[in-house]
C-alpha cells in the first residue's frame, strides 16, 4: 500500500470515528461541541476547572458574561468502583455500584435556574494524563443524552479539558489536625 493510500485510509478512519461521536475530534484543549449548542452557546470558554476527590472527578467550563460568569457545562463523574488513570476509558452511562448516576451534567447561566441534563445514554471519558490533585489533567469526553423530557434529551456533548486538578476533599476527618496543628472542634 502506498504512503498516499495509507494516509487516505488513516484520514477516513479518523473522520469515521469523529462522525460516530466516539472522540472529541478536532477540538483543541478546553473546548466544547455537540448538538446541545441548540440550547445554549458552547463557545468562548474562558476557564476550565478540574476538581478531584476520592468520590468524583469534576470538570467545569466557565464563560465570562460581562459582569457575570456562566457555568457553561459541569460534568461530574462518580468514581466509585473505578480506577481512574491515564489511558483508560470510563463508561459515562449507567449507575455506580451504590445506585448513583455515573455521570451528571449541569448548565447554569447567571440569572437563570440551574438545568440538570437528562441521564447519559452513551458516552465515555478518557484521561490522557494526570487525574490526581496537583497534576496537570488532560482528557476528553463524548456523550449522548437519553431521549425523553429531560433537559438536553436526545442531544450530544463532546469536550476536551486541560487544567491542574485541584484537591476537592471534604476537610479533616474526625481527630485529624487542621492547619497549624489546631485540633478540630
Amino acid at each position: 500500500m502506498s504512503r498516499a493510500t495509507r494516509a487516505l485510509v488513516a484520514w477516513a478512519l479518523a473522520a469515521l470515528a469523529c462522525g460516530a461521536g466516539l472522540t472529541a475530534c478536532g477540538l483543541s484543549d478546553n473546548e466544547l461541541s455537540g448538538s446541545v449548542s441548540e440550547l445554549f452557546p458552547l463557545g468562548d470558554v474562558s476557564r476550565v476547572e478540574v476538581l478531584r476527590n476520592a468520590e468524583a472527578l469534576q470538570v467545569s467550563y466557565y464563560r465570562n458574561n460581562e459582569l457575570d460568569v456562566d457555568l457553561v457545562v459541569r460534568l461530574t463523574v462518580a468514581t466509585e468502583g473505578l480506577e481512574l488513570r491515564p489511558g483508560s476509558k470510563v463508561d459515562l452511562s449507567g449507575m455506580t455500584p451504590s445506585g448513583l448516576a455515573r455521570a451528571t451534567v449541569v448548565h447554569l447561566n447567571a440569572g437563570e435556574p440551574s438545568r440538570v441534563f437528562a441521564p447519559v445514554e452513551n458516552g465515555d471519558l478518557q484521561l490522557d494524563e494526570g487525574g490526581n490533585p496537583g497534576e496537570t489533567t488532560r482528557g476528553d469526553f463524548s456523550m449522548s443524552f437519553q431521549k425523553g423530557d429531560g433537559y438536553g434529551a436526545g442531544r450530544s456533548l463532546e469536550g476536551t479539558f486541560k487544567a491542574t486538578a485541584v484537591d476537592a476533599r471534604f476537610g479533616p476527618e474526625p481527630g485529624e489536625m487542621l492547619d497549624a496543628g489546631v485540633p478540630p472542634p
Side-chain angles (χ1 to χ4, degrees):
M1 184 183 304
S2 73
R3 188 165 70 163
T5 303
R6 283 192 304 265
L8 183 59
V9 168
W11 177 85
L13 290 173
L16 179 62
C18 287
L22 299 174
T23 62
C25 294
L27 299 178
S28 55
D29 290 336
N30 300 331
E31 285 193 271
L32 295 166
S33 68
S35 63
V36 298
S37 64
E38 298 166 359
L39 302 174
F40 56 87
L42 296 174
D44 300 326
V45 170
S46 57
R47 181 171 59 96
V48 171
E49 183 178 78
V50 176
L51 298 177
R52 180 75 162 105
N53 65 21
E55 296 181 8
L57 172 78
Q58 188 175 76
V59 182
S60 300
Y61 296 81
Y62 297 95
R63 176 182 44 244
N64 290 334
N65 183 3
E66 297 181 16
L67 297 176
D68 295 314
V69 177
D70 295 336
L71 175 60
V72 180
V73 169
R74 173 172 287 155
L75 167 64
T76 303
V77 180
T79 57
E80 177 189 358
L82 297 177
E83 185 179 339
L84 191 59
R85 64 186 187 313
S88 64
K89 281 193 175 188
V90 174
D91 183 359
L92 297 178
S93 64
M95 306 294 218
T96 64
S98 65
L100 297 173
R102 177 62 71 195
T104 56
V105 178
V106 174
H107 167 72
L108 176 62
N109 273 348
E112 296 179 9
S114 175
R115 292 180 168 87
V116 178
F117 278 73
V120 174
E121 181 174 49
N122 294 302
D124 59 51
L125 174 137
Q126 180 169 337
L127 287 181
D128 297 327
E129 66 179 287
N132 295 310
E135 296 177 343
T136 298
T137 301
R138 172 187 263 161
D140 63 79
F141 62 87
S142 177
M143 67 184 78
S144 61
F145 301 97
Q146 291 178 2
K147 294 177 180 160
D149 296 331
Y151 190 71
R155 290 186 166 81
S156 65
L157 177 65
E158 297 87 34
T160 59
F161 54 92
K162 180 182 178 187
T164 300
V166 175
D167 189 349
R169 63 184 167 153
F170 298 108
E173 296 293 321
E176 184 180 6
M177 299 294 234
L178 297 174
D179 290 343
V182 177

